[in-house]
Amino acid sequence: MVDEFLTADRSKTLTRLLYVDIALAVAVALLALPGILGEFEKYVVTLLVIAAVLGGVGGAALAAVRRRRESARKLCIATGVVLILASLPLVAILVGLLTGVLGVGILVVTFAPEREPR
């Protein structure tokens, strides 16, 4: 079943999308820096928790896809859902829009049937 889900094209696409997820997690953590330094203190914890969750679930999914584990599909679904949910508190900034779009993209790639080669 893993071979059916993780074809070469799907694995390549998911790997790229999951790297973008990790980059967004780093960006969200960097957005928390002004709060750590004294401004916007009430948003620091929210941003750091979101960054940790995005990085954690994205990293786990990336490792599963790269190692072709059976848990790869479930972790990709979880990553897509977490990205969509994380976009809600981040909607006031551009990263919120990007996380939502990325989450939908990961879910589309995960659930889309594989195309037949021509």
Side-chain angles (χ1 to χ4, degrees):
M1 181 167 163
V2 175
D3 294 330
E4 294 174 13
F5 170 65
L6 285 176
T7 60
D9 290 337
R10 188 183 311 245
S11 178
K12 183 178 176 181
T13 303
L14 283 172
T15 299
R16 289 179 180 171
L17 290 173
L18 291 168
Y19 275 126
V20 173
D21 169 55
I22 292 171
L24 284 175
V26 171
V28 171
L30 290 175
L31 287 172
L33 281 181
I36 293 171
L37 300 175
E39 301 173 20
F40 309 112
E41 293 172 3
K42 65 182 182 178
Y43 298 112
V44 173
V45 174
T46 302
L47 290 175
L48 290 176
V49 167
I50 289 172
V53 170
L54 290 180
V57 74
L62 180 62
V65 168
R66 293 179 78 191
R67 293 182 179 128
R68 297 193 173 281
R69 291 187 181 156
E70 291 197 25
S71 61
R73 183 179 179 104
K74 291 177 185 176
L75 284 168
C76 288
I77 293 169
T79 302
V81 171
V82 166
L83 280 163
I84 292 169
L85 293 176
S87 70
L88 298 175
L90 298 174
V91 79
I93 53 179
L94 179 62
V95 176
L97 176 64
L98 295 175
T99 56
V101 170
L102 180 62
V104 170
I106 289 175
L107 289 175
V108 166
V109 171
T110 301
F111 285 115
E114 192 65 33
R115 292 186 292 174
E116 295 290 325
R118 293 180 188 198

